[in-house]
Amino acid sequence: MTPRLRLQPEAVGMGMTSQRVRDRLVERLRESGISDERVLNAIRTVPRHLFVDEAFATRAYEDTALPIGHGQTISQPWVVARMTEALLQDAPKKVLEIGTGSGYQAAVLAALGMQVYTVERIGDLLRQARKRFRQLGLNVRSKHDDGRIGWPEEAPFDAIIVTAAAPALVDSLIDQLAVGGSLVAPVGASGGQSLLKLTRREDGSVEEDHLAAVTFVPLLSGTLD
Ligand code: SAH
């Protein structure tokens, strides 16, 4: 699969956001164990500097989480790459993301040709993310809601990715997985979590794999404007 982004040259930016800076990030991700070329290519293609405030644009291609307002962060590129790699193994078509945030993770999934549905509880962040999807010509469906209930009207999903941490797995999300589908989510206490991949088997059982130790902002209840 090749990324489907059709970028305007002026949207790509120059200087600290140049192709060379992005290539350096990709090399760094490769050195830290990301090997799926499709994922590396998507990270190279999606302009992460457009997903952060201008004040942080020069740091957009560092392998680090950055603030996006409302006490939230855009995830570290390595974490986005690792989660995307884990999802891609099962070639999902229809994917649900909980925690749109900046929209970067959703954009990476859409660039890989997935049909993306994403839910965010903070209205202001979702409005900004929607603008970015439009600007980049990405077809991402989104909803302002408490993502812990998933998106039942659109279920089942081939994969679900949760980009905020919960102390335990949310059962309503597992119920919205297609048989053979997988859920990738950080699970654990607020100080640090285990990135888990759960696969829903045909016999009803759930297979669980630990992917990495990670730190995400918490999955909270209710919505904010
Ligand atoms: N995937 C995002 C990461 C954003 S951080 C990115 O690429 O930028 C996690 C996001 O999850 C925050 O924006 C936070 O507001 C959101 N969030 C937390 N709890 C949520 C919930 N119950 N439903 C939907 N979104 C939630």
Side-chain angles (χ1 to χ4, degrees):
M1 256 187 290
T2 46
R4 291 188 179 175
L5 274 186
R6 292 176 306 276
L7 295 175
Q8 307 297 321
E10 63 271 23
V12 176
M14 302 301 288
M16 288 308 286
T17 58
S18 69
Q19 204 53 58
R20 200 152 43 91
V21 176
R22 297 176 191 206
D23 288 346
R24 218 177 292 144
L25 169 63
V26 166
E27 282 323 304
R28 198 188 154 135
L29 295 178
R30 212 192 286 279
E31 283 160 19
S32 30
I34 305 298
S35 58
D36 190 318
E37 291 299 328
R38 296 168 297 177
V39 175
L40 293 169
N41 206 23
I43 300 258
R44 191 184 284 115
T45 313
V46 177
R48 189 169 183 259
H49 64 281
L50 300 183
F51 291 81
V52 297
D53 284 346
E54 252 168 72
F56 290 102
T58 57
R59 299 188 57 196
Y61 298 97
E62 292 176 16
D63 189 19
T64 178
L66 291 169
I68 55 171
H70 302 271
Q72 307 304 318
T73 53
I74 180 172
S75 307
Q76 182 191 348
W78 186 85
V79 171
V80 172
R82 189 69 194 88
M83 291 178 97
T84 307
E85 204 171 54
L87 282 190
L88 263 184
Q89 280 171 358
D90 312 311
K93 290 193 183 74
K94 187 175 177 184
V95 179
L96 172 67
E97 178 193 35
I98 308 303
T100 317
S102 67
Y104 179 70
Q105 172 75 70
V108 167
L109 298 176
L112 285 160
M114 296 176 212
Q115 193 184 344
V116 183
Y117 293 75
T118 183
V119 185
E120 171 59 53
R121 67 180 286 274
I122 302 179
D124 185 47
L125 290 179
L126 187 59
R127 282 189 291 277
Q128 294 180 52
R130 282 175 173 158
K131 259 190 223 157
R132 295 173 180 129
F133 299 146
R134 258 198 310 276
Q135 183 184 6
L136 296 172
L138 291 170
N139 183 19
V140 174
R141 291 190 56 191
S142 61
K143 173 168 90 137
H144 180 212
D145 209 343
D146 181 342
R148 292 176 315 158
I149 60 167
W151 199 327
E153 301 82 3
E154 294 292 346
F157 296 95
D158 302 320
I160 300 179
I161 177 170
V162 184
T163 66
L169 284 163
V170 184
D171 287 341
S172 54
L173 294 180
I174 297 175
D175 292 343
Q176 290 174 34
L177 268 185
V179 172
S182 48
L183 179 142
V184 175
V187 178
S190 59
Q193 305 91 35
S194 172
L195 185 61
L196 297 182
K197 177 175 175 182
L198 283 101
T199 307
R200 185 175 182 175
R201 290 216 197 95
E202 238 164 274
D203 63 7
S205 66
V206 174
E207 181 187 320
E208 187 175 312
D209 282 322
H210 165 87
L211 302 179
V214 289
T215 309
F216 275 84
V217 294
L219 188 74
L220 301 173
S221 55
T223 59
L224 289 178
D225 291 342

